[in-house]
Amino acid sequence: MIDARACVGTHDILLITLDSLRFDVAARALEEGLTPHLARLLPETGWECRHTPGNFTFAAHQAIFAGFLPTPIAPGRHPRLFALEFPGSETIADQTCVFSTDNIVAGLADRGYYTLCIGGVGFFNQQSPLGTVLPGLFQESYWQPAFGVTDRHSTQHQVDFALELLNQQPADQRLFLFLNVSATHQPSCIFVQDALEDSVETQLAALAYADAQLGPLVAALQQRAPLLCIVCSDHGTTFGEDGYRGHRISHPVVWEVPYLECLLPRMGDQP
Protein backbone atom coordinates (compact mmCIF):
# COMPACT_ATOMS: atom_id res chain seq x y z
CA MET A 1 0.00 0.00 0.00
CA ILE A 2 1.23 3.49 -0.87
CA ASP A 3 1.86 5.65 2.19
CA ALA A 4 -0.50 8.47 1.23
CA ARG A 5 -0.01 10.20 4.56
CA ALA A 6 3.71 10.57 3.79
CA CYS A 7 3.05 11.70 0.20
CA VAL A 8 0.66 14.52 1.00
CA GLY A 9 2.66 17.73 1.08
CA THR A 10 5.58 16.45 -0.98
CA HIS A 11 3.88 14.99 -4.07
CA ASP A 12 1.55 16.43 -6.63
CA ILE A 13 -1.54 14.22 -6.96
CA LEU A 14 -3.19 13.25 -10.25
CA LEU A 15 -6.56 11.50 -10.31
CA ILE A 16 -7.88 10.43 -13.71
CA THR A 17 -11.25 8.75 -14.11
CA LEU A 18 -11.75 7.02 -17.44
CA ASP A 19 -15.49 7.42 -17.50
CA SER A 20 -17.57 4.25 -18.04
CA LEU A 21 -14.53 2.13 -18.88
CA ARG A 22 -15.08 -1.59 -18.31
CA PHE A 23 -12.38 -3.73 -16.75
CA ASP A 24 -12.46 -6.27 -19.57
CA VAL A 25 -11.96 -3.53 -22.16
CA ALA A 26 -9.00 -2.04 -20.28
CA ALA A 27 -7.40 -5.48 -19.85
CA ARG A 28 -7.85 -6.33 -23.52
CA ALA A 29 -6.41 -2.98 -24.64
CA LEU A 30 -3.34 -3.59 -22.49
CA GLU A 31 -2.91 -7.12 -23.83
CA GLU A 32 -3.16 -5.91 -27.43
CA GLY A 33 -0.66 -3.10 -26.89
CA LEU A 34 -3.19 -0.33 -27.51
CA THR A 35 -2.42 1.65 -24.34
CA PRO A 36 1.37 2.12 -24.14
CA HIS A 37 1.22 5.27 -22.00
CA LEU A 38 -0.98 3.67 -19.38
CA ALA A 39 1.13 0.50 -19.59
CA ARG A 40 4.11 2.53 -18.38
CA LEU A 41 2.24 3.25 -15.15
CA LEU A 42 1.00 -0.29 -14.57
CA PRO A 43 2.76 -3.09 -12.70
CA GLU A 44 3.69 -6.28 -14.52
CA THR A 45 0.40 -7.80 -13.39
CA GLY A 46 -1.53 -5.15 -15.33
CA TRP A 47 -4.75 -3.49 -14.28
CA GLU A 48 -6.18 -4.36 -10.89
CA CYS A 49 -9.82 -5.35 -11.06
CA ARG A 50 -11.80 -3.53 -8.36
CA HIS A 51 -15.42 -2.88 -7.45
CA THR A 52 -16.74 0.62 -8.03
CA PRO A 53 -18.49 2.38 -5.14
CA GLY A 54 -21.26 3.54 -7.50
CA ASN A 55 -22.85 2.35 -10.73
CA PHE A 56 -23.02 5.73 -12.45
CA THR A 57 -20.85 8.83 -12.62
CA PHE A 58 -22.40 11.06 -9.95
CA ALA A 59 -22.68 8.36 -7.29
CA ALA A 60 -19.20 6.98 -7.94
CA HIS A 61 -17.50 10.37 -7.83
CA GLN A 62 -19.34 11.45 -4.70
CA ALA A 63 -17.92 8.33 -3.04
CA ILE A 64 -14.44 8.81 -4.51
CA PHE A 65 -14.28 12.39 -3.26
CA ALA A 66 -15.34 11.11 0.16
CA GLY A 67 -12.27 8.85 0.18
CA PHE A 68 -13.89 5.69 -1.17
CA LEU A 69 -11.87 4.78 -4.24
CA PRO A 70 -12.80 1.54 -6.01
CA THR A 71 -12.47 -1.38 -3.58
CA PRO A 72 -10.19 -4.43 -4.10
CA ILE A 73 -12.33 -7.43 -4.99
CA ALA A 74 -10.73 -9.91 -2.57
CA PRO A 75 -12.77 -10.39 0.61
CA GLY A 76 -11.64 -8.55 3.69
CA ARG A 77 -11.06 -5.02 4.94
CA HIS A 78 -8.92 -2.99 2.58
CA PRO A 79 -7.14 0.13 3.92
CA ARG A 80 -7.76 3.28 1.92
CA LEU A 81 -5.35 5.89 0.56
CA PHE A 82 -7.53 8.79 1.73
CA ALA A 83 -10.29 9.01 4.29
CA LEU A 84 -12.38 11.50 6.19
CA GLU A 85 -12.66 11.45 9.95
CA PHE A 86 -15.54 9.09 10.61
CA PRO A 87 -16.24 7.27 13.88
CA GLY A 88 -16.12 3.50 13.50
CA SER A 89 -14.29 3.40 10.17
CA GLU A 90 -12.56 0.04 9.73
CA THR A 91 -10.51 0.86 6.63
CA ILE A 92 -8.14 3.53 7.98
CA ALA A 93 -4.52 2.42 8.36
CA ASP A 94 -1.31 4.15 9.42
CA GLN A 95 -0.63 4.94 5.75
CA THR A 96 -4.07 6.49 5.16
CA CYS A 97 -4.16 10.27 4.88
CA VAL A 98 -7.14 11.34 6.99
CA PHE A 99 -8.83 14.72 6.64
CA SER A 100 -11.15 16.53 9.04
CA THR A 101 -13.34 17.81 6.20
CA ASP A 102 -16.40 16.51 4.37
CA ASN A 103 -14.48 15.69 1.16
CA ILE A 104 -10.89 14.93 0.25
CA VAL A 105 -10.62 17.85 -2.19
CA ALA A 106 -11.21 20.33 0.64
CA GLY A 107 -8.92 18.26 2.84
CA LEU A 108 -6.07 18.59 0.36
CA ALA A 109 -6.73 22.32 0.03
CA ASP A 110 -6.39 22.59 3.80
CA ARG A 111 -2.98 20.93 3.48
CA GLY A 112 -1.82 23.59 1.02
CA TYR A 113 -2.79 21.98 -2.28
CA TYR A 114 -4.29 23.94 -5.14
CA THR A 115 -7.18 21.89 -6.51
CA LEU A 116 -8.01 21.81 -10.22
CA CYS A 117 -10.84 20.01 -12.04
CA ILE A 118 -10.99 19.41 -15.80
CA GLY A 119 -14.49 18.11 -16.41
CA GLY A 120 -15.68 15.75 -19.09
CA VAL A 121 -19.14 14.19 -18.91
CA GLY A 122 -22.35 16.05 -18.09
CA PHE A 123 -22.05 15.88 -14.30
CA PHE A 124 -19.07 18.24 -14.64
CA ASN A 125 -20.44 20.64 -17.26
CA GLN A 126 -21.60 23.39 -14.86
CA GLN A 127 -24.65 23.92 -17.07
CA SER A 128 -27.16 23.19 -14.31
CA PRO A 129 -27.25 23.15 -10.50
CA LEU A 130 -26.57 19.39 -10.55
CA GLY A 131 -23.69 19.92 -12.96
CA THR A 132 -21.99 22.24 -10.47
CA VAL A 133 -22.00 19.93 -7.42
CA LEU A 134 -18.83 17.95 -8.20
CA PRO A 135 -16.90 20.80 -9.88
CA GLY A 136 -17.83 23.01 -6.92
CA LEU A 137 -15.55 20.99 -4.66
CA PHE A 138 -12.48 22.43 -6.41
CA GLN A 139 -10.79 25.81 -6.24
CA GLU A 140 -10.79 25.96 -10.04
CA SER A 141 -13.10 23.94 -12.28
CA TYR A 142 -13.34 23.99 -16.05
CA TRP A 143 -15.58 22.54 -18.72
CA GLN A 144 -16.35 23.40 -22.33
CA PRO A 145 -18.15 21.50 -25.10
CA ALA A 146 -14.80 20.47 -26.56
CA PHE A 147 -14.19 18.43 -23.38
CA GLY A 148 -17.52 16.59 -23.69
CA VAL A 149 -18.67 13.21 -24.91
CA THR A 150 -19.54 14.23 -28.47
CA ASP A 151 -16.16 15.74 -29.40
CA ARG A 152 -13.89 13.33 -31.27
CA HIS A 153 -10.82 15.12 -29.86
CA SER A 154 -12.04 15.64 -26.31
CA THR A 155 -9.05 14.16 -24.46
CA GLN A 156 -6.60 16.19 -26.52
CA HIS A 157 -8.54 19.36 -25.68
CA GLN A 158 -8.65 18.43 -21.99
CA VAL A 159 -4.93 17.69 -21.80
CA ASP A 160 -3.94 20.82 -23.74
CA PHE A 161 -6.04 22.90 -21.36
CA ALA A 162 -4.55 21.18 -18.31
CA LEU A 163 -1.03 21.84 -19.59
CA GLU A 164 -1.85 25.54 -19.87
CA LEU A 165 -3.05 25.54 -16.27
CA LEU A 166 0.11 23.79 -15.09
CA ASN A 167 2.25 26.43 -16.76
CA GLN A 168 0.51 29.08 -14.65
CA GLN A 169 1.29 27.40 -11.33
CA PRO A 170 4.44 28.08 -9.28
CA ALA A 171 6.74 25.06 -9.15
CA ASP A 172 6.60 24.97 -5.36
CA GLN A 173 2.78 24.95 -5.26
CA ARG A 174 1.54 21.41 -4.70
CA LEU A 175 -1.37 20.46 -6.94
CA PHE A 176 -4.29 18.07 -6.92
CA LEU A 177 -5.38 17.72 -10.54
CA PHE A 178 -8.52 15.78 -11.38
CA LEU A 179 -9.36 14.85 -14.98
CA ASN A 180 -12.60 13.14 -15.99
CA VAL A 181 -11.96 11.58 -19.41
CA SER A 182 -15.18 11.64 -21.40
CA ALA A 183 -13.94 9.77 -24.49
CA THR A 184 -14.65 6.32 -23.06
CA HIS A 185 -18.24 7.27 -22.19
CA GLN A 186 -21.01 6.83 -24.70
CA PRO A 187 -21.10 7.60 -27.61
CA SER A 188 -17.80 5.77 -28.10
CA CYS A 189 -19.00 4.80 -31.59
CA ILE A 190 -17.58 8.12 -32.82
CA PHE A 191 -14.12 6.57 -32.58
CA VAL A 192 -14.82 3.81 -35.13
CA GLN A 193 -15.63 4.72 -38.72
CA ASP A 194 -19.15 3.75 -39.78
CA ALA A 195 -20.03 2.37 -36.33
CA LEU A 196 -23.67 3.06 -35.49
CA GLU A 197 -23.80 1.93 -31.85
CA ASP A 198 -21.49 1.55 -28.90
CA SER A 199 -19.77 -1.78 -28.27
CA VAL A 200 -16.71 -3.31 -26.69
CA GLU A 201 -14.87 -2.55 -29.92
CA THR A 202 -15.80 1.13 -29.94
CA GLN A 203 -14.86 1.60 -26.28
CA LEU A 204 -11.57 -0.14 -27.03
CA ALA A 205 -10.92 2.40 -29.79
CA ALA A 206 -11.90 5.27 -27.51
CA LEU A 207 -9.49 4.08 -24.83
CA ALA A 208 -6.65 3.75 -27.35
CA TYR A 209 -7.34 7.32 -28.46
CA ALA A 210 -7.38 8.64 -24.88
CA ASP A 211 -4.17 6.81 -23.99
CA ALA A 212 -2.35 8.51 -26.85
CA GLN A 213 -3.18 11.91 -25.36
CA LEU A 214 -2.31 11.33 -21.69
CA GLY A 215 1.47 10.97 -21.89
CA PRO A 216 2.30 14.71 -22.02
CA LEU A 217 0.15 15.41 -18.96
CA VAL A 218 1.92 12.83 -16.79
CA ALA A 219 5.32 14.02 -18.06
CA ALA A 220 4.50 17.67 -17.29
CA LEU A 221 3.49 16.81 -13.75
CA GLN A 222 6.67 14.76 -13.25
CA GLN A 223 8.71 17.81 -14.20
CA ARG A 224 7.17 19.69 -11.26
CA ALA A 225 7.44 17.23 -8.36
CA PRO A 226 7.16 13.58 -7.38
CA LEU A 227 3.71 12.35 -8.37
CA LEU A 228 1.06 10.19 -6.74
CA CYS A 229 -0.97 8.97 -9.71
CA ILE A 230 -4.35 7.24 -9.56
CA VAL A 231 -6.11 6.12 -12.73
CA CYS A 232 -9.37 4.23 -12.63
CA SER A 233 -12.84 3.95 -14.06
CA ASP A 234 -15.79 5.27 -12.13
CA HIS A 235 -18.04 2.43 -13.39
CA GLY A 236 -18.44 0.13 -16.36
CA THR A 237 -21.26 -0.03 -18.87
CA THR A 238 -23.25 -2.70 -20.69
CA PHE A 239 -23.34 -3.25 -24.44
CA GLY A 240 -26.25 -5.66 -24.64
CA GLU A 241 -25.19 -8.22 -22.04
CA ASP A 242 -28.31 -9.95 -20.68
CA GLY A 243 -30.38 -7.42 -22.61
CA TYR A 244 -28.93 -4.36 -20.83
CA ARG A 245 -27.42 -1.28 -22.43
CA GLY A 246 -25.79 1.51 -20.45
CA HIS A 247 -25.19 1.72 -16.69
CA ARG A 248 -26.89 2.78 -13.43
CA ILE A 249 -27.73 -0.91 -13.11
CA SER A 250 -26.23 -3.66 -10.94
CA HIS A 251 -24.56 -5.80 -13.58
CA PRO A 252 -21.08 -7.34 -13.15
CA VAL A 253 -19.57 -5.43 -16.08
CA VAL A 254 -20.78 -2.19 -14.47
CA TRP A 255 -19.34 -3.00 -11.04
CA GLU A 256 -15.93 -4.29 -12.18
CA VAL A 257 -13.52 -1.46 -13.04
CA PRO A 258 -9.81 -1.10 -13.83
CA TYR A 259 -7.63 0.56 -11.22
CA LEU A 260 -4.00 1.60 -10.80
CA GLU A 261 -2.09 3.66 -8.28
CA CYS A 262 1.61 4.42 -8.45
CA LEU A 263 4.34 6.78 -7.30
CA LEU A 264 6.42 8.46 -10.00
CA PRO A 265 9.66 10.34 -9.29
CA ARG A 266 10.25 13.89 -10.39
CA MET A 267 12.05 14.01 -13.72
CA GLY A 268 15.78 13.86 -13.06
CA ASP A 269 15.42 12.33 -9.61
CA GLN A 270 16.36 8.75 -8.92
CA PRO A 271 13.33 6.43 -8.68
Side-chain angles (χ1 to χ4, degrees), residues 5-246:
R5 188 174 63 174
C7 291
V8 168
T10 60
H11 289 57
D12 281 351
I13 300 172
L14 173 64
L15 171 60
I16 297 175
T17 53
L18 299 162
D19 209 285
S20 305
L21 180 63
R22 292 164 45 141
F23 174 78
D24 59 344
V25 173
R28 177 177 162 188
L30 179 65
E31 182 180 355
E32 295 182 6
L34 300 177
T35 50
H37 293 94
L38 289 168
R40 186 176 72 86
L41 307 178
L42 287 162
E44 291 183 1
T45 51
W47 288 103
E48 182 183 358
C49 186
R50 290 196 173 193
H51 283 150
T52 176
N55 62 10
F56 71 109
T57 298
F58 187 78
H61 283 85
Q62 281 280 35
I64 287 169
F65 293 141
F68 298 97
L69 289 160
T71 306
I73 285 179
R77 297 171 183 168
H78 300 283
R80 292 180 283 138
L81 285 179
F82 305 108
L84 307 177
E85 290 183 353
F86 186 77
S89 175
E90 297 180 340
T91 53
I92 293 175
D94 291 341
Q95 300 92 340
T96 304
C97 186
V98 183
F99 304 106
S100 56
T101 53
D102 62 5
N103 66 84
I104 67 170
V105 186
L108 287 167
D110 282 353
R111 303 286 183 94
Y113 279 75
Y114 200 64
T115 61
L116 299 166
C117 169
I118 309 296
V121 304
F123 287 113
F124 296 94
N125 67 15
Q126 306 180 56
Q127 304 298 298
S128 67
L130 180 58
T132 64
V133 172
L134 297 173
L137 301 176
F138 293 81
Q139 290 162 304
E140 290 188 29
S141 300
Y142 299 94
W143 185 89
Q144 53 187 254
F147 299 167
V149 298
T150 59
D151 194 298
R152 177 65 177 76
H153 305 285
S154 58
T155 312
Q156 177 185 343
H157 297 315
Q158 290 177 300
V159 169
D160 288 346
F161 193 88
L163 293 175
E164 292 180 15
L165 292 180
L166 293 182
N167 288 335
Q168 299 169 16
Q169 300 299 322
D172 60 352
Q173 172 63 63
R174 296 286 59 80
L175 299 177
F176 173 44
L177 175 62
F178 167 71
L179 173 64
N180 173 246
V181 172
S182 65
T184 44
H185 189 279
Q186 62 194 51
S188 60
C189 59
I190 63 176
F191 293 95
V192 175
Q193 186 174 359
D194 298 327
L196 300 178
E197 63 179 16
D198 295 345
S199 65
V200 165
E201 299 298 332
T202 65
Q203 192 176 68
L204 196 72
L207 177 58
Y209 158 74
D211 175 87
Q213 315 306 314
L214 293 173
L217 178 60
V218 175
L221 284 163
Q222 280 192 266
Q223 290 173 1
R224 292 177 40 83
L227 183 64
L228 169 54
C229 181
I230 303 161
V231 183
C232 62
S233 173
D234 53 342
H235 58 80
T237 196
T238 53
F239 298 123
E241 292 86 0
D242 300 314
Y244 293 107
R245 297 200 69 86

